[in-house]
């Protein structure tokens, strides 16, 4: 059933990056339920293909289109937008969800780990944002929406050395979202930019951050009732369902038991 305010998005196209697992998969599913065409991209698309089949079997009114894309490679991103343009006309909603953390501290971390985080968390987000805006502009879409899935780590620095560089990339997302909002106003468009910043969400994130210490990763989620991907999805749907004149800059959300 369509949520109030979501009717205007029916049959329009949303791009969701990092759609194979966690928040991205949950957002993709929810948008298909609301009748959108969703291009879900990730480096591997097996999970997205399975999710697309589930959505079809469930009779959801929208469609999920899997697309393989290495977001650390600009050429892959540009090829994806070119394919969207030729096959589906263009992007109306861009949800920059893909992100990763590597356990590389400031004093002893590897440059390769830092670059990996920068490439996906900052550069890929910026490239997708630029290309989505250009897609909207060339089709005279004036009510599009760009949503950056950020983190509470983009608003405070916790005393855990393995998250400090990751936190820096998320502070960048906070600045990029506000900068985008200002540039969209300067361009005299009604395209909106929003940041959603969750705290601890129970996904595979900690297991990838602590890939050599699965017990430590599991402990991240065991000491509190964590947010679930669907909680973040609710925030995405809320943002999209607000009237076009309403600009939501940032939603910060955390488990009630999370201290910082």
């Amino acid at each position: 059933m369509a949520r109030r305010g979501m009717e205007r998005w029916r049959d329009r196209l949303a791009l969701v990056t990092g759609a194979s697992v966690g928040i991205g998969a949950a957002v993709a599913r929810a948008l298909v339920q609301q009748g959108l065409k969703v291009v879900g991209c990730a480096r591997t698309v097996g999970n997205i293909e399975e999710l697309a089949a589930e959505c079809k079997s469930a009779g959801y009114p929208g469609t999920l289109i899997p697309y393989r894309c290495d977001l650390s490679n600009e050429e892959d991103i540009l090829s994806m937008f070119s394919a969207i343009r030729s096959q589906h006309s263009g992007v109306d909603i861009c949800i920059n969800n893909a992100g990763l953390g590597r356990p590389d501290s400031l004093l002893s971390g590897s440059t390769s780990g830092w670059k990996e985080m920068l490439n996906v968390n900052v550069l890929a987000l910026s490239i997708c944002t630029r290309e989505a805006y250009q897609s909207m502009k060339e089709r005279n879409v004036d009510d599009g929406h760009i949503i950056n899935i950020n983190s509470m780590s983009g608003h405070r620095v916790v005393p855990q050395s393995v998250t400090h560089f990751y936190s820096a990339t998320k502070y960048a997302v906070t600045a990029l979202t506000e900068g985008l909002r200002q540039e969209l106003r300067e361009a005299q468009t009604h395209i909106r930019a929003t940041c959603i910043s969750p705290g601890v969400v129970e996904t595979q994130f900690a297991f990838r951050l602590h890939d050599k210490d699965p017990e430590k990763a599991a402990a991240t989620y065991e000491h509190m009732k964590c947010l679930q991907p669907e909680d973040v999805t609710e925030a995405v749907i809320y943002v999209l369902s607000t009237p076009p004149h309403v600009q939501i800059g940032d939603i910060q959300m955390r488990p009630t038991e999370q201290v910082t």
Side-chain angles (χ1 to χ4, degrees):
M1 183 177 178
R3 293 274 286 273
R4 183 178 178 182
M6 288 297 292
E7 302 89 350
R8 69 188 181 91
W9 295 115
R10 193 178 180 94
D11 296 323
R12 298 178 71 179
L13 190 133
L15 170 65
V16 180
T17 67
S20 61
V21 294
I23 295 170
V27 169
R29 180 194 294 273
L31 294 180
V32 173
Q33 285 179 305
Q34 295 300 313
L36 281 80
K37 289 189 293 185
V38 179
V39 173
C41 78
R43 190 174 297 181
T44 58
V45 294
N47 288 349
I48 306 176
E49 290 171 344
E50 291 179 9
L51 179 57
E54 290 175 18
C55 290
K56 185 175 181 180
S57 296
Y60 296 157
T63 307
L64 177 56
I65 304 154
Y67 195 95
R68 182 177 290 104
C69 180
D70 179 358
L71 290 167
S72 65
N73 184 325
E74 182 175 9
E75 290 305 314
D76 262 25
I77 298 174
L78 298 181
S79 293
M80 175 176 65
F81 274 91
S82 178
I84 292 172
R85 181 182 298 109
S86 62
Q87 298 171 26
H88 309 286
S89 82
V91 172
D92 300 303
I93 298 168
C94 179
I95 299 180
N96 289 307
N97 165 74
L100 59 89
R102 300 300 304 158
D104 291 288
S105 67
L106 302 179
L107 298 183
S108 59
S110 70
T111 304
S112 62
W114 296 342
K115 286 182 177 179
E116 189 177 2
M117 286 184 275
L118 280 173
N119 284 339
V120 175
N121 299 0
V122 179
L123 290 178
L125 176 146
S126 299
I127 295 167
C128 287
T129 295
R130 180 190 67 201
E131 297 303 310
Y133 169 71
Q134 293 299 330
S135 174
M136 296 173 197
K137 182 181 177 182
E138 67 187 19
R139 294 175 297 119
N140 296 315
V141 171
D142 194 47
D143 66 342
H145 210 134
I146 298 168
I147 299 176
N148 293 330
I149 305 299
N150 195 1
S151 168
M152 284 303 300
S153 291
H155 300 277
R156 83 283 187 269
V157 179
V158 298
Q160 296 177 9
S161 62
V162 294
T163 66
H164 288 161
F165 196 92
Y166 169 78
S167 186
T169 67
K170 291 302 182 177
Y171 265 85
V173 173
T174 301
L176 288 167
T177 307
E178 173 58 16
L180 174 63
R181 186 194 68 80
Q182 294 181 17
E183 290 190 27
L184 289 170
R185 296 294 73 73
E186 291 170 6
Q188 297 185 326
T189 175
H190 294 91
I191 296 168
R192 297 182 290 176
T194 300
C195 201
I196 297 177
S197 303
V200 179
V201 185
E202 191 172 2
T203 64
Q204 290 297 307
F205 178 84
F207 290 95
R208 293 174 178 176
L209 176 65
H210 304 294
D211 55 358
K212 296 179 181 178
D213 192 347
E215 290 186 5
K216 185 174 183 179
T220 302
Y221 305 127
E222 290 173 352
H223 70 285
M224 73 175 87
K225 184 173 178 58
C226 303
L227 297 177
Q228 297 300 311
E230 291 74 19
D231 297 322
V232 183
T233 295
E234 282 295 313
V236 171
I237 297 297
Y238 165 70
V239 166
L240 289 172
S241 66
T242 55
H245 70 281
V246 177
Q247 169 71 65
I248 297 175
D250 188 17
I251 292 179
Q252 297 182 25
M253 54 194 299
R254 52 164 70 88
T256 53
E257 298 174 35
Q258 184 174 341
V259 177
T260 59

